Amino acid sequence: MIMLNKAGRGARAVAVAVAVAALVTGTATGAAAEPRARDHDPGYRADITWAPCPEAADVDCGTIPMPVDWSDRDGEKFTLALARRKATDPASRLGVLFVNIGGPGGSGVDFALVANRYFSPEVRERFDIVGVDPRGVGRSTEVVCSPEMLARRPSLYPANQAEFERLARFNREFADDCRARTGPLYDNVDTRSVVEDLDALRRSLGERKISYFGLSYSTLIGQQYAERHGDHVRAMVLDSVMDHSLGTWGFVGTEAAAAEDSFDEFVAWCDRTESCALHGRDVRKVWHSVLRRADRGEFTDPGSATPITSKMIRDRAFADFYGPTWAPLAEYLFALDDSAVPATPTEEPPLAAHVFPAVFCLDWSLPVRDHREFAALTAWSGRIAPDMSGSPLGSEAVAACIGRSGDTVNPQHPLRITKAPKILLLNARHDPSTAYEWAVNAHRQSRKTTVLLTYDGWGHGVYDRSACTRNATDAYLINLTVPRDGTRCAAVEPAGATAGLAGVATGPGARSSGWPG
């Protein structure tokens, strides 16, 4: 997701006379929650302060205090931000549909603001769509770190033991800096804590059960909510599925295979598509020629005089696989091969700087002992993905947590869901980010409580790919009609434009706000 946290950053200030606005719009606070939910559902709840969103007057924006540490509910609080787009047909309302865009670092508030351009009219008629900025993110109380320190971060690809130790030391010192600036919240932004926020928000809204739609990294929120609070789930869609059972080598290996598979699909598209700028040529030969020339320093960005590195070219390709936006990628490679160097976006800090490690290193234990093991892991990843040299996500996710293996509070485990109704898993067969194998493995671990629908196409995110994917999901959300396990939806040939959320980027540049959304 690109720059999600910046959209509407000034919207933290609410309008004057919030209480009056709440009464006028008919919105309820936690104090006015449905008595039955309060009587039979004890637990933390708090009043929600509502006002029209500055970006969209027809959407309610709210804030609610939440415990920083769920083991000390009466202790320090932080501010959780949310947005609610009310059901367009209140008479047929089915409840709330919580939505989250992933990351970690993506804004659920932004998702709710553009939900009218993403979900079908039928879904919008029946649900209050509620998006939350998870703790540490966006309009909620944020993780705060030193940008100057971040600018001094060493390479996430250490070349020797000394550089490996330097990276480990930096990761620890950067975490210390963020902790000092953020306070106790920094050590409590793990997904398990987000899950408890979500359930407290459910109570505060007066809802007995929720429906949930999570994309990418937020499928982990859904999985762990279903594990801990499955009896409060009405319906749950997990689109582009995380597999939170993998160790270091399994994680990196599956990511590398997904990146290489997406490159293979790009080559196949060029071979069959006359409009591809490289149609009729050996695409792999062009690709490796361009990479070699970049390594020799032959390309310079005409706008900034910055050298264009082979890593920048691979990252550009990987971002284009999200859409997929293959046509612009082919044109870019054609121009490089022809020495007509196009402007290249400035290389962004991998994995979104501070929000990513704050969350990811608490959720995942992916230890690498020393440079020797890191080099072996990198070489193995390169053998799996010889064209892409591994996956930038897989490699950089591990590197961002080197030196912090002891920080994990929500470590991997096989998925165990016992109380929830059937959950719908969606995944593209050729997803560069959340590997299809992840969805298959998550389904294998939870076969009694999940069904898997496969989109036999490309890119990251499935719901809005076709009438098949959308209709199956809508029928499940609205009527609780569960598709047959193993259902497949045919691929839709990309038209060149990025598929995904209108107004919330899920395609090129997605890594600037988090991973792997």
Side-chain angles (χ1 to χ4, degrees):
M1 295 151 292
I2 185 166
M3 308 309 290
L4 284 181
N5 295 344
K6 293 184 179 178
R9 186 160 285 187
R12 293 184 180 84
V14 296
V16 179
V18 162
V20 174
L23 290 173
V24 170
T25 58
T27 56
T29 67
E34 173 182 6
R36 289 175 303 161
R38 184 177 293 276
D39 293 344
H40 301 287
D41 189 13
Y44 181 90
R45 69 189 74 216
D47 290 348
I48 304 173
T49 302
W50 293 107
C53 294
E55 303 91 338
D58 60 334
V59 181
D60 303 320
C61 278
T63 59
I64 180 173
M66 287 286 178
V68 167
D69 183 349
W70 275 104
S71 67
D72 182 16
R73 299 184 183 189
D74 297 325
E76 184 175 344
K77 303 296 190 293
F78 76 96
T79 299
L80 188 76
L82 61 150
R84 176 178 60 186
R85 182 175 287 277
K86 288 187 175 180
T88 58
D89 183 4
S92 62
R93 179 184 178 275
L94 293 171
V96 299
L97 175 64
F98 282 119
V99 297
N100 198 288
I101 194 69
S107 169
V109 170
D110 285 348
F111 194 171
L113 287 170
V114 301
N116 59 321
R117 304 200 298 272
Y118 183 68
F119 290 106
S120 69
E122 292 76 17
V123 168
R124 290 185 279 114
E125 286 175 1
R126 310 300 292 276
F127 293 99
D128 290 349
I129 298 174
V130 177
V132 179
D133 281 1
R135 51 175 59 210
V137 173
R139 298 164 181 81
S140 295
T141 303
E142 287 187 289
V143 168
V144 180
C145 306
S146 165
E148 293 79 16
M149 187 173 184
L150 177 62
R152 299 193 299 271
R153 178 173 58 188
S155 171
L156 292 173
Y157 297 87
N160 50 50
Q161 181 62 24
E163 291 187 9
F164 181 90
E165 292 173 358
R166 181 185 174 206
L167 176 60
R169 184 167 56 253
F170 173 86
N171 287 343
R172 291 191 295 268
E173 292 174 352
F174 187 63
D176 289 342
D177 173 84
C178 299
R179 186 177 293 109
R181 295 170 185 271
T182 305
L185 181 65
Y186 185 79
D187 292 312
N188 291 276
V189 293
D190 59 287
T191 292
R192 188 168 55 187
S193 296
V194 172
V195 162
E196 296 310 313
D197 296 341
L198 195 65
D199 203 49
L201 180 57
R202 174 192 62 78
R203 287 190 295 270
S204 299
L205 289 168
E207 299 289 337
R208 285 186 173 278
K209 295 191 175 185
I210 64 165
S211 297
Y212 181 85
F213 181 95
L215 274 165
S216 196
Y217 199 84
S218 62
T219 63
L220 183 58
I221 299 173
Q223 291 172 24
Q224 297 200 342
Y225 188 91
E227 286 183 313
R228 298 172 69 85
H229 304 292
D231 53 336
H232 292 145
V233 174
R234 175 190 170 274
M236 179 173 286
V237 178
L238 304 180
D239 185 340
S240 307
V241 183
M242 297 295 296
D243 179 4
H244 197 231
S245 69
L246 299 171
T248 305
W249 289 75
F251 178 85
V252 171
T254 50
E255 283 289 76
E260 187 71 5
D261 171 72
S262 287
F263 183 85
D264 291 343
E265 292 299 308
F266 165 64
V267 172
W269 174 79
C270 266
D271 288 345
R272 69 175 180 267
T273 306
E274 291 187 4
S275 62
C276 173
L278 298 174
H279 181 69
R281 301 178 63 182
D282 185 331
V283 177
R284 276 191 170 81
K285 184 176 180 180
V286 172
W287 171 256
H288 286 285
S289 172
V290 164
L291 295 179
R292 285 193 298 270
R293 293 174 63 189
D295 286 336
R296 293 196 296 265
E298 293 187 21
F299 303 131
T300 302
D301 186 289
S304 64
T306 302
I308 299 175
T309 66
S310 59
K311 182 184 183 304
M312 292 170 69
I313 296 170
R314 289 191 186 93
D315 284 355
R316 157 66 193 263
F318 187 81
D320 279 325
F321 296 157
Y322 271 64
T325 48
W326 287 332
L329 174 59
E331 292 163 4
Y332 178 73
L333 296 174
F334 179 90
L336 287 175
D337 188 57
D338 198 40
S339 297
V341 183
T344 301
T346 302
E347 189 173 20
E348 301 172 57
L351 301 176
H354 58 279
V355 176
F356 166 76
V359 178
F360 190 83
C361 299
L362 296 180
D363 279 346
W364 294 78
S365 176
L366 299 171
V368 182
R369 291 167 295 183
D370 51 27
H371 180 262
R372 181 176 180 180
E373 183 177 9
F374 183 85
L377 190 66
T378 302
W380 180 66
S381 177
R383 289 193 296 272
I384 293 172
D387 295 302
M388 290 297 294
S389 295
S391 165
L393 293 184
S395 300
E396 293 169 20
V398 170
C401 297
I402 285 175
R404 296 190 56 195
S405 58
D407 291 352
T408 307
V409 296
N410 182 32
Q412 303 95 296
H413 64 271
L415 188 57
R416 301 184 186 94
I417 301 173
T418 58
K419 296 181 181 178
K422 285 289 187 180
I423 293 170
L424 178 58
L425 310 180
L426 309 175
N427 221 92
R429 180 64 186 83
H430 306 290
D431 187 320
S433 177
T434 53
Y436 181 66
E437 184 177 336
W438 289 5
V440 172
N441 201 33
H443 177 44
R444 185 183 299 117
Q445 297 165 22
S446 59
R447 192 170 295 278
K448 292 182 179 179
T449 52
T450 63
V451 296
L452 174 60
L453 183 151
T454 300
Y455 170 62
D456 281 321
W458 312 273
H460 189 54
V462 167
Y463 170 74
D464 62 344
R465 293 289 171 177
S466 70
C468 176
T469 57
R470 185 173 51 253
N471 292 343
T473 306
D474 286 359
Y476 168 75
L477 283 174
I478 295 169
N479 302 315
L480 301 180
T481 302
V482 181
R484 180 180 57 82
D485 194 27
T487 296
R488 307 186 82 91
C489 288
V492 176
E493 196 77 7
T498 302
L501 287 171
V504 181
T506 55
R511 291 190 304 125
S512 66
S513 288
W515 178 87

